[in-house]
Amino acid sequence: MHQSQQHAAKAGQPWLQLESIGKRFGSFQALQDVALQIRPGEIQCLLGENGAGKSTLCNLIFGVHEPTAGQMLLDGGVYQPQGPADAFAQGIAMVHQHFSLVSDLSVVDNLLLGQAHGFLRRGAMADRVARLAEQYGLQLDPHALISTLSVGERQRVEIVKCLMREPRLLVLDEPTAVLLPDEIDALLRVCRRVAAQGCSVLLVTHKLAEIKQVADRVTVLRGGRIVAHSEHPADELDALVQAMIQHAPDSPARPAAAASRSPRLQDEVLQVDGLGVTDVQGVTRLDNFTLVLNRGEIIGVAGVEGNGQSELASVLSGMSSPSRGRFFINGEELSGASPQAVTRAGVGVVPEDRHATGCITDLSLAENIFLNRLHEFQRWGCLDRAAMRAAASELMRRFDVRAASVDSRFGGLSGGNQQKAVLARELTLRNLTCLIASQPTRGLDVGAVQAVYGHIRAARDQGVGVLLISSELDELLTVADRIVVLYRGRIMGSCPAQPDQRARIGAMMAGQTP
């Protein structure tokens, strides 16, 4: 701990203060009149919807951007970092969602990058890594290649790289998005140990369970302004979420009716028989995937990203052909069929990358909502835009898609509103019987997550069969009826979607047989 930080801690005073901070990008006001205090040795969580200004605020603190109004104070003096390197030098470190490691180098060599002068002292660095690992409970092999490490292990390397600088503040931006349940618990324990050493932690997260587990204080941003603050967040989660989204949240637990309801297993809507995918390098990505999905049922596909989920979704949506095996929709074989044929068969598809395959960002909101059925608005070879706008306005209302108008450029919408628009398109297919939803809440805030799953539950209750692929285990346990677990392309096992199955599912996600 820095001596100045120790002094601030003894005095009980915040060492980093933001006063009336504003940030404008052209005509867009990203932050306005933001006041924030960070105390030594605390974990403060930052909560807010997509577009609320969380990332902008973190980037101001880390020196990526400069404020256009207000000031920041560090130890009572003006803090004006000229860039991330300057922020580092003044004791502020940040772990981004996307790592900056060189995969062909070892852990030690990555840690030496930018720090070594003259001879490389790998042995001394390895010893230092070992000391940090013991101090903070970070298990790492200093000599392992980055390419051989799991996502959780790579994240540990990034954290060690920051802790080597002995920071005053560690900023973590959505750090648990792609971690195993045990890795999430381990990371939160690391946060506690870091805080116990006197380093403050600013944790950006959408997960209420994480806030309840580790947050000392929570600050809520909405529309670039601070709208709520809590010194006792574990006891005030509902109020914090309500402040964030401006309406009372649904219960995070499974509704009582859903918990006691048996799925309506009327007919098979999707049958997958021995599906396999081998890539161009000859690596098997999906291996003998077999499953039956019934009408009125949600099957969750759990697993750490990269274990065959993308390949499964790609094949079932018609974006690629399987190397072997078959699948049927309502008894009709569609193996290797085009996306148009899959849509005609009554399959709605919510892709994991909405920008790459789910929309055309330069078109309007209305055009994107009806991308898969523009023919419905054709009159004598021309597009009846007035009718399309009217229909799009109705779907905007039903699905709470917030935009200036139906003519707004799709790429200008927030992530949550883009995803709700994609859902509006896919869930209103005339003959919808099956929904393939892949990572539908990735990058969304709590309010948008609730809206997305509300629409998916409603589709299930109307008899649609839903295959829900997600790396968010807690969400799957809340919304699904049963869960299958993918590991290295194979189904490790299945079980009911009940909270008491969480440890078992986590073990299967790590490759352990049930």
Side-chain angles (χ1 to χ4, degrees):
M1 189 191 296
H2 290 253
Q3 288 185 350
S4 59
Q5 192 174 355
Q6 289 178 327
H7 176 75
K10 290 178 181 177
Q13 298 296 319
W15 63 271
L16 178 64
Q17 299 182 71
L18 279 62
E19 298 180 346
S20 302
I21 289 293
K23 179 59 182 177
R24 181 180 291 276
F25 296 96
S27 61
F28 175 63
Q29 187 76 43
L31 293 172
Q32 187 169 356
D33 198 27
V34 170
L36 186 70
Q37 296 183 346
I38 296 178
R39 303 166 184 163
E42 75 166 349
I43 299 176
Q44 184 163 173
C45 288
L46 201 56
L47 184 64
E49 292 189 285
N50 293 97
K54 304 186 301 298
S55 295
T56 300
L57 183 58
C58 291
N59 285 327
L60 287 177
I61 293 172
F62 192 51
V64 176
H65 302 309
E66 296 182 8
T68 51
Q71 66 175 352
M72 296 185 286
L73 301 175
L74 186 64
D75 285 337
V78 175
Y79 172 59
Q80 294 178 319
Q82 300 305 300
D86 190 15
F88 257 132
Q90 298 190 64
I92 295 176
M94 184 170 176
V95 177
H96 298 271
Q97 284 181 299
H98 303 291
F99 304 150
S100 57
L101 303 173
V102 180
S103 60
D104 293 336
L105 297 182
S106 68
V107 171
V108 164
D109 286 342
N110 269 273
L111 297 177
L112 285 168
L113 287 174
Q115 298 191 43
H117 301 283
F119 293 105
L120 298 180
R121 302 182 182 276
R122 290 188 174 90
M125 179 61 74
D127 291 341
R128 190 174 180 191
V129 170
R131 290 195 299 271
L132 282 171
E134 182 178 0
Q135 181 178 0
Y136 293 106
L138 291 159
Q139 307 249 334
L140 273 180
D141 177 1
H143 304 292
L145 287 178
I146 296 297
S147 60
T148 67
L149 302 182
S150 70
V151 175
E153 290 169 328
R154 295 184 192 199
Q155 188 180 69
R156 285 176 224 159
V157 178
E158 292 279 10
I159 293 174
V160 166
K161 186 165 65 173
C162 290
L163 293 177
M164 287 173 57
R165 306 289 188 99
E166 298 183 354
R168 305 179 183 198
L169 171 65
L170 181 62
V171 181
L172 298 170
D173 185 12
E174 296 286 355
T176 63
V178 293
L179 299 186
L180 287 164
D182 287 347
E183 290 175 329
I184 293 174
D185 292 339
L187 175 66
L188 297 180
R189 288 195 296 271
V190 169
C191 289
R192 272 285 168 223
R193 291 196 182 193
V194 169
Q197 296 290 325
C199 176
S200 303
V201 177
L202 183 62
L203 176 64
V204 180
T205 181
H206 291 140
K207 300 179 181 178
L208 300 183
E210 294 172 12
I211 290 175
K212 187 173 183 178
Q213 187 171 342
V214 300
D216 296 312
R217 294 194 294 155
V218 170
T219 297
V220 181
L221 279 171
R222 188 177 72 231
R225 294 176 176 269
I226 290 179
V227 295
H229 184 78
S230 175
E231 300 279 344
H232 307 284
D235 301 323
E236 299 172 349
L237 289 179
D238 286 351
L240 291 171
V241 174
Q242 184 174 353
M244 183 186 76
I245 62 178
Q246 294 183 286
H247 59 77
D250 297 327
S251 170
R254 177 192 295 270
S260 61
R261 180 189 58 79
S262 297
R264 295 175 292 176
L265 310 183
Q266 298 172 348
D267 299 304
E268 295 179 2
V269 63
L270 168 66
Q271 183 184 96
V272 186
D273 181 17
L275 213 58
V277 174
T278 301
D279 66 16
V280 293
Q281 282 82 33
V283 178
T284 298
R285 300 296 182 183
L286 192 65
D287 190 7
N288 194 32
F289 186 93
T290 299
L291 173 140
V292 171
L293 172 67
N294 294 280
R295 299 179 191 276
E297 177 184 35
I298 299 176
I299 295 181
V301 180
V304 177
E305 291 188 43
N307 279 277
Q309 301 97 317
S310 296
E311 290 78 8
L312 174 63
S314 180
V315 168
L316 295 181
S317 62
M319 297 297 293
S320 63
S321 297
S323 304
R324 54 201 164 274
R326 305 177 297 170
F327 75 94
F328 303 81
I329 297 292
N330 297 318
E332 176 188 358
E333 182 173 357
L334 290 175
S335 314
S338 67
Q340 293 87 347
V342 171
T343 297
R344 285 196 299 270
V347 180
V349 177
V350 179
E352 64 178 88
D353 187 342
R354 57 182 172 267
H355 289 157
T357 57
C359 65
I360 301 176
T361 56
D362 286 335
L363 293 183
S364 70
L365 170 59
E367 289 166 328
N368 273 278
I369 285 180
F370 293 113
L371 267 183
N372 56 4
R373 53 186 192 275
L374 287 173
H375 62 276
E376 295 180 5
F377 301 98
Q378 288 181 351
R379 303 291 185 269
W380 298 286
C382 297
L383 189 63
D384 187 345
R385 293 190 175 274
M388 183 179 68
R389 290 190 186 100
S393 294
E394 172 59 19
L395 290 186
M396 282 181 66
R397 184 192 63 77
R398 282 177 53 191
F399 287 83
D400 191 30
V401 181
R402 301 176 190 178
S405 77
V406 294
D407 296 317
S408 297
R409 178 177 170 273
F410 193 84
L413 275 63
S414 70
N417 284 306
Q418 288 180 350
Q419 194 73 325
K420 286 187 283 187
V422 171
L423 275 170
R425 181 182 68 216
E426 301 301 320
L427 289 177
T428 54
L429 288 175
R430 304 298 185 202
N431 59 337
L432 180 69
T433 58
C434 178
L435 178 69
I436 309 296
S438 183
Q439 312 293 352
T441 63
R442 175 184 286 161
L444 303 188
D445 55 67
V446 176
V449 168
Q450 291 174 346
V452 166
Y453 282 139
H455 292 306
I456 288 176
R457 285 194 190 99
R460 182 268 313 276
D461 293 342
Q462 293 169 6
V464 175
V466 180
L467 189 68
L468 177 59
I469 302 169
S470 177
S471 57
E472 299 290 346
L473 178 54
D474 289 331
E475 292 177 7
L476 287 179
L477 288 170
T478 298
V479 75
D481 296 302
R482 59 187 173 106
I483 291 175
V484 299
V485 180
L486 267 180
Y487 178 74
R488 294 185 177 177
R490 295 185 66 89
I491 293 179
M492 293 296 293
S494 64
C495 63
Q498 299 295 343
D500 60 3
Q501 299 291 321
R502 192 177 191 276
R504 181 186 177 198
I505 294 170
M508 288 190 286
M509 288 170 64
Q512 300 175 28
T513 54

